[in-house]
Amino acid sequence: MALMDFINKQWIDIIEWLDDSRDTLSYRWPDDDKEIKNGAQLIVRESQVAQFVYLGKYADTLQPGKHTLTTENIPILSDLLGWKYKFESPFKADVYYVITRTFTGNKWGTSNPVMMRDADFGAVRIRAFGTFDFKIVDPALFLREVAGTDHHFRLDEFHDVMRSRIVSVFSDTLASAKVPVLDVATRYSELGDALLEPVNLVMREKYGIEMTAFVVENVSVPKEVEEAIDKRGAMTAIGNLNDYVKYNMGNALADGKAGVAGMGAELATGLAMGQSMLQGLGGGGGAAVPGMPGFVPGAMGGAAVAGGAQAAAAVTVLTPEQVAEMLSVSPADVLVELENGNLKGKKIGSQWRVPRKSVDEFLAG
């Protein structure tokens, strides 16, 4: 009798595990070097699965419920053990409980800037951070690629292992999606939803996990790109490049930085505005204004043209639109000459800038 009691103590009759924490992802059931009795009871609770591992090989995965361990319901393990004829002998195997509930509010972020290529700005370095929710969908793959042989794999260990991998998947997905940096920097609330499925294709295949939510909370770009975005937004709001140039000249005059050429431009702009007002009041360009004897509207227009020419001459770097205005041609004609190399200029991103000296050489040649 004592011998049978000793033998019975070496066999495991019931396997179950109650998760008393909220941060456990996988747990290896402690067998104390005992063997599992054929016909033992395995209890798997909700939000759990039981994964059998035999000699480093991943065998059966049992879902929530009460299972009797026989050759019928653990066929893979039975085959590995050589139970072709339903042997009733005890067996040795590791049992991992894997938690399948959704883990929410996990943080991710780029520790170093991520390089992406943009059609407008070229190569741009960005930083991003946010949160994600995930769950384990392939226990065997998760244990093999993420948890390993850790007997109690917790959420903080998961973050240490997966943080760089998640950022790498995010970077690769963002690059393949070819999202413009303007959209990345201004519409990141929509970016997470757009990248969720492409990211999951990689996460499921490589790590056996699935993200149920992927949120991009903030994206930061270099200062020069931020300034370019602000300028583009200002130009869009203004709606006209000539008005934008006048706006900048006005700001320079207000700050006392315009100089003599700027004063001429200011005078030309003011005279042109005055002529427009006179035409509106008098019904034509030749009407005189009471209280201003000797005033000739046509002369005012000449002063405006002269002032505008002086302002253009004072600018050392011109846009294609400004060159076209100087040469009395269309901006498209200027772009053709720039592309052919007849007119020398510098292309910055998708925009051309032309030195005034190049315009003089083009006219002289």
Side-chain angles (χ1 to χ4, degrees):
M1 180 64 69
L3 178 61
M4 291 303 299
D5 290 341
F6 172 77
I7 293 176
N8 288 333
K9 289 181 181 180
Q10 302 306 306
W11 293 348
I12 299 171
D13 293 321
I14 298 177
I15 301 174
E16 67 175 330
W17 177 63
L18 294 175
D19 182 15
D20 57 356
S21 70
R22 297 293 296 172
D23 65 345
T24 297
L25 278 75
S26 65
Y27 179 79
R28 185 175 64 196
W29 191 78
D31 57 11
D32 298 327
D33 204 29
K34 297 179 181 179
E35 295 183 331
I36 302 173
K37 181 180 179 181
N38 195 351
Q41 300 297 307
L42 172 68
I43 299 173
V44 183
R45 303 185 184 277
E46 290 296 332
S47 299
Q48 295 178 346
V49 294
Q51 176 66 52
F52 281 89
V53 181
Y54 176 70
L55 297 180
K57 297 181 179 180
Y58 292 86
D60 304 271
T61 304
L62 300 185
Q63 302 298 321
K66 186 176 181 179
H67 307 272
T68 300
L69 302 182
T70 63
T71 55
E72 285 78 10
N73 62 9
I74 50 173
I76 300 176
L77 182 61
S78 299
D79 184 64
L80 293 174
L81 290 167
W83 286 349
K84 297 181 180 180
Y85 305 104
K86 298 184 179 180
F87 292 153
E88 299 296 331
S89 59
F91 61 92
K92 190 79 169 64
D94 293 324
V95 180
Y96 285 85
Y97 279 92
V98 179
I99 308 303
T100 58
R101 70 174 179 86
T102 299
F103 294 85
T104 60
N106 304 278
K107 297 183 180 298
W108 68 272
T110 56
S111 56
N112 296 309
V114 174
M115 187 72 71
M116 64 174 293
R117 188 167 296 278
D118 183 74
D120 293 328
F121 301 104
V124 180
R125 294 172 288 107
I126 68 170
R127 294 178 182 269
F129 66 85
T131 61
F132 66 95
D133 304 340
F134 78 96
K135 62 181 179 180
I136 301 170
V137 293
D138 189 335
L141 183 58
F142 173 80
L143 290 173
R144 182 185 301 114
E145 299 297 333
V146 182
T149 57
D150 195 318
H151 75 284
H152 194 174
F153 191 70
R154 301 176 183 272
L155 200 56
D156 55 349
E157 297 173 277
F158 173 85
H159 291 157
D160 293 340
V161 172
M162 293 299 297
R163 183 178 290 111
S164 60
R165 300 183 188 182
I166 291 173
V167 172
S168 176
V169 171
F170 166 78
S171 305
D172 293 343
T173 305
L174 186 63
S176 61
K178 297 182 179 179
V179 180
V181 70
L182 287 175
D183 290 343
V184 173
T186 59
R187 301 175 60 186
Y188 50 77
S189 59
E190 305 170 17
L191 184 62
D193 293 336
L195 295 180
L196 180 60
E197 186 54 34
V199 168
N200 271 334
L201 288 176
V202 179
M203 301 303 288
R204 282 191 292 259
E205 180 180 350
K206 285 189 174 182
Y207 308 116
I209 66 176
E210 178 180 288
M211 292 187 178
T212 57
F214 187 75
V215 180
V216 181
E217 293 183 352
N218 195 7
V219 174
S220 60
V221 295
K223 183 178 179 181
E224 57 271 18
V225 178
E226 287 184 354
E227 293 174 351
I229 293 172
D230 292 340
K231 288 181 179 179
R232 179 167 295 188
M235 292 175 67
T236 302
I238 292 171
N240 184 282
L241 183 60
N242 289 331
D243 291 340
Y244 179 64
V245 172
K246 294 175 183 177
Y247 170 75
N248 282 340
M249 287 182 177
N251 286 340
L253 286 168
D255 294 338
K257 300 177 181 178
V260 176
M263 292 175 64
E266 168 70 1
L267 179 59
T269 303
L271 291 174
M273 293 174 61
Q275 184 180 14
S276 299
M277 293 173 63
L278 288 173
Q279 290 175 349
L281 290 172
V289 178
M292 295 182 65
F295 181 80
V296 182
M300 181 181 294
V305 173
Q310 292 176 3
V315 179
T316 58
V317 179
L318 305 171
T319 65
E321 290 80 6
Q322 291 172 319
V323 176
E325 187 175 353
M326 290 179 59
L327 303 180
S328 298
V329 296
S330 68
D333 294 333
V334 175
L335 291 175
V336 169
E337 296 299 324
L338 285 169
E339 294 290 348
N340 292 336
N342 298 328
L343 176 61
K344 303 300 182 181
K346 181 70 174 179
K347 193 172 186 180
I348 305 174
S350 61
Q351 303 295 323
W352 283 96
R353 293 296 179 265
V354 184
R356 175 56 192 268
K357 181 181 179 181
S358 297
V359 178
D360 295 336
E361 292 174 354
F362 175 80
L363 293 175

